[in-house]
């Protein structure tokens, strides 16, 4: 979990590969209306997110009944994580506004404009029961930290 540009998809894909479980990006489950809203530079509100979060919760239940999965999801608020389920292992990819803003400026393949980053930081409620990993390091270092945390958590 983390704000856009924190590396959720990049780290998640590598982590899933190393754990031999599927990877999913929560952005792929947004309804077209949400994507259109974000592309136009408007933040999603809780009402916009509600059906998306419920759909993700259903998917998570299915994945957890099988081999599990890695899901890259912003999950910015505690209430969102409650909908998704608190029994999951969360890894919070934490970075400064300046670093993440720089990363977003370098991306061309993402639907969310940089202007919405501030609203994500404003909405972010840092998790209390998650593994917090700084994104200042290399991708390899972040993945290794995530793998260590995953093993310590009993997976």
């Amino acid at each position: 979990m983390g704000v856009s540009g924190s590396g959720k998809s990049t780290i998640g894909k590598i982590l899933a590969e190393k754990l031999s479980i599927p990877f999913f990006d929560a952005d792929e489950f947004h309804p077209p209306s949400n994507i259109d809203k974000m592309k136009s530079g408007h933040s999603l509100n809780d009402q916009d997110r509600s059906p998306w979060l419920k759909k993700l919760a259903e998917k998570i239940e299915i994945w957890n009944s099988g081999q599990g999965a890695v899901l890259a999801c912003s999950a910015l608020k505690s209430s969102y994580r409650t909908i998704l389920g608190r029994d999951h292992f969360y890894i919070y990819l934490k970075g400064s506004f300046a670093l993440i803003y720089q990363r977003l400026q370098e991306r061309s393949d993402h639907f969310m404009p940089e202007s919405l980053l501030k609203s994500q930081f404003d909405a972010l409620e840092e998790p209390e029961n998650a593994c917090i990993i700084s994104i200042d390091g290399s991708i390899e270092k972040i993945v290794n930290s995530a793998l260590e945390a995953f093993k310590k958590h009993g997976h």
Side-chain angles (χ1 to χ4, degrees):
M1 66 153 291
V3 298
S4 185
S6 62
K8 297 181 303 291
S9 295
T10 300
I11 300 302
K13 286 175 187 173
I14 297 169
L15 189 58
E17 184 179 308
K18 290 192 176 283
L19 295 170
S20 299
I21 57 177
F23 168 80
F24 298 96
D25 190 325
D27 288 344
E28 295 174 10
F29 296 93
H30 271 297
S33 58
N34 283 5
I35 293 173
D36 291 343
K37 187 173 183 176
M38 288 184 282
K39 278 184 179 177
S40 68
H42 299 284
S43 298
L44 298 180
N45 58 37
D46 289 351
Q47 185 177 355
D48 297 325
R49 286 187 181 93
S50 182
W52 172 68
L53 290 166
K54 288 177 184 171
K55 184 176 193 175
L56 286 173
E58 291 170 5
K59 294 289 187 183
I60 289 169
E61 194 172 315
I62 293 167
W63 300 328
N64 283 345
S65 68
Q67 62 182 351
V70 173
L71 175 66
C73 183
S74 54
L76 297 175
K77 292 184 178 182
S78 177
S79 61
Y80 302 166
R81 293 187 294 275
T82 298
I83 294 168
L84 295 175
R86 291 204 176 260
D87 295 333
H88 313 306
F89 181 62
Y90 286 94
I91 295 174
Y92 168 40
L93 299 177
K94 183 176 182 173
S96 70
F97 181 89
L99 175 61
I100 294 173
Y101 183 76
Q102 176 188 349
R103 287 182 177 182
L104 284 176
Q105 287 182 316
E106 295 168 359
R107 285 168 56 174
S108 61
D109 63 339
H110 199 269
F111 60 81
M112 194 180 102
E114 299 92 354
S115 60
L116 293 181
L117 182 60
K118 179 166 180 353
S119 68
Q120 286 207 340
F121 269 92
D122 290 345
L124 177 63
E125 296 171 0
E126 293 193 2
E128 294 177 12
N129 298 319
C131 169
I132 300 172
I133 298 176
S134 171
I135 62 167
D136 291 345
S138 68
I139 290 173
E140 182 180 8
K141 181 180 177 185
I142 296 167
V143 169
N144 286 338
S145 294
L147 284 169
E148 286 176 27
F150 195 72
K151 288 174 187 171
K152 284 181 187 174
H153 190 262
H155 294 285

